[in-house]
Amino acid sequence: MLALEPGSTDIGPLAQTVAAGGVVVLSGAGISTESGIPDYRGESGSLRTHTPMTYGDFVASESGRQRYWARSHLGWRTIARATPNDGHRAVAALQARGYLSGVITQNVDGLHQAAGARDVIELHGNLDRVICLSCGTTSAREALDRRLKEANQDFEAEVTRINPDGDAELPAEAVGTFRLVDCTKCGGILKPDVVFFGENVPRPRVERCYQLIDDANAVLVLGSSLTVMSGFRFVRHAAKSGTPVLIINQGLTRGDPYATQRVNLPLGQALTELLEETTGPSHA
């Protein structure tokens, strides 16, 4: 393994590897910060002041679910209004040109798809969907939003912060007045169709990611500290099999000791430069 300093700002060597094609992107919250969605662990990362909802707390406690849905009811609107930035658009363009063989994202904001990326594997799900924990029915978040608005017509609260999972920070007294709604089919508990902390990513989804990594010529990590094992395991797997690991991130990552090429730049700038430097014939 080659441990690299995180200070390189030269995109050239990395661009040469990407230009050879067969690259799988693994993206994290850092690629969405330029769209106004904060990350968890950067300079202003929300884990410094916020503990995300865990799966155990959500399923075990009605008060926990009340707290989550009150906060997410307001926070999701910010996520839903967010638009793709230069980084998302560059990833979509690289895929369209044929340089990428897959896109895996740890984000739940849908911005890769909004920018035009295809067949994105959403490792942790998407906030736009809701699932019933009893009958497994999935539905659109917009439909739930309408029902929650109707059930909470007098609900007012001032949002103090939005987190990457759409969880807003609200005063405790505001949360206590929020009314929940149940599944329209069976009356079961509704949960966003995302993987909470402490919850496992569905195995078939994990296997699809491993297959992409096994078939890749290189893995390109974008805006992820790789602190969470759900994404880090793919970097470790790639490195173990000799597949080059490329990282673009501001600040240190858990994957740095596995990286063969490492760039420390804002994602929008770095990916725009990467797109400009991969100007050879299309691999599509």
Side-chain angles (χ1 to χ4, degrees):
M1 292 186 297
L2 178 62
L4 301 178
E5 293 296 325
S8 174
T9 57
D10 182 8
I11 203 76
L14 187 148
Q16 291 180 4
T17 303
V18 172
V23 177
V24 170
V25 160
L26 172 63
S27 71
I31 198 171
S32 293
T33 56
E34 293 174 45
S35 293
I37 302 174
D39 64 8
Y40 280 119
R41 296 178 175 84
E43 292 183 4
S44 60
S46 65
L47 282 187
R48 297 173 184 268
T49 58
H50 165 70
T51 301
M53 172 60 68
T54 67
Y55 183 74
D57 287 344
F58 187 88
V59 299
S61 165
E62 184 171 353
S63 63
R65 293 191 292 276
Q66 182 188 44
R67 183 174 68 254
Y68 175 82
W69 280 118
R71 293 156 59 129
S72 185
H73 180 55
L74 298 181
W76 172 74
R77 298 173 193 175
T78 296
I79 305 294
R81 286 195 300 265
T83 57
N85 61 52
D86 288 344
H88 297 112
R89 287 187 286 270
V91 169
L94 288 167
Q95 184 185 47
R97 292 183 182 186
Y99 297 116
L100 306 185
S101 57
V103 178
I104 304 168
T105 185
Q106 300 171 91
N107 300 339
V108 295
D109 52 36
L111 291 179
H112 277 302
Q113 297 93 316
R118 308 178 311 277
D119 302 321
V120 177
I121 298 180
E122 297 174 313
L123 193 61
H124 297 152
N126 193 311
L127 282 173
D128 272 354
R129 296 187 302 270
V130 178
I131 187 168
C132 174
L133 295 181
S134 296
C135 69
T137 297
T138 58
S139 55
R141 182 65 179 267
E142 287 185 358
L144 176 64
D145 187 58
R146 288 192 294 269
R147 294 179 62 207
L148 288 173
K149 285 179 180 177
E150 184 176 344
N152 296 276
Q153 295 181 27
D154 299 326
F155 180 69
E156 294 183 3
E158 181 180 352
V159 176
T160 57
R161 182 186 179 93
I162 302 295
N163 299 298
D165 55 0
D167 188 7
E169 296 189 11
L170 301 176
E173 59 271 18
V175 169
T177 66
F178 195 78
R179 289 182 288 277
L180 300 174
V181 298
D182 298 323
C183 174
T184 56
K185 287 196 173 182
C186 75
I189 294 172
L190 295 176
K191 172 184 172 291
D193 194 11
V194 300
V195 178
F196 282 162
F197 280 75
E199 186 178 5
N200 292 325
V201 178
R203 193 66 200 173
R205 195 179 302 167
V206 173
E207 293 299 336
R208 286 178 60 204
C209 293
Y210 274 126
Q211 188 62 58
L212 280 178
I213 300 298
D214 283 339
D215 294 341
N217 293 330
V219 176
L220 175 59
V221 179
L222 303 175
S224 176
S225 64
L226 298 171
T227 302
V228 178
M229 180 56 75
S230 62
F232 176 62
R233 57 184 158 184
F234 301 123
V235 167
R236 195 169 60 180
H237 182 81
K240 185 177 180 179
S241 63
T243 302
V245 173
L246 324 174
I247 297 178
I248 306 176
N249 190 68
Q250 287 190 285
L252 297 169
T253 85
R254 190 181 181 186
D256 289 349
Y258 298 88
T260 52
Q261 294 167 336
R262 176 76 166 85
V263 173
N264 186 53
L265 283 173
L267 267 295
Q269 174 188 344
L271 288 170
T272 298
E273 291 181 13
L274 175 61
L275 189 60
E276 291 172 350
E277 294 212 20
T278 52
T279 54
S282 172
H283 288 242

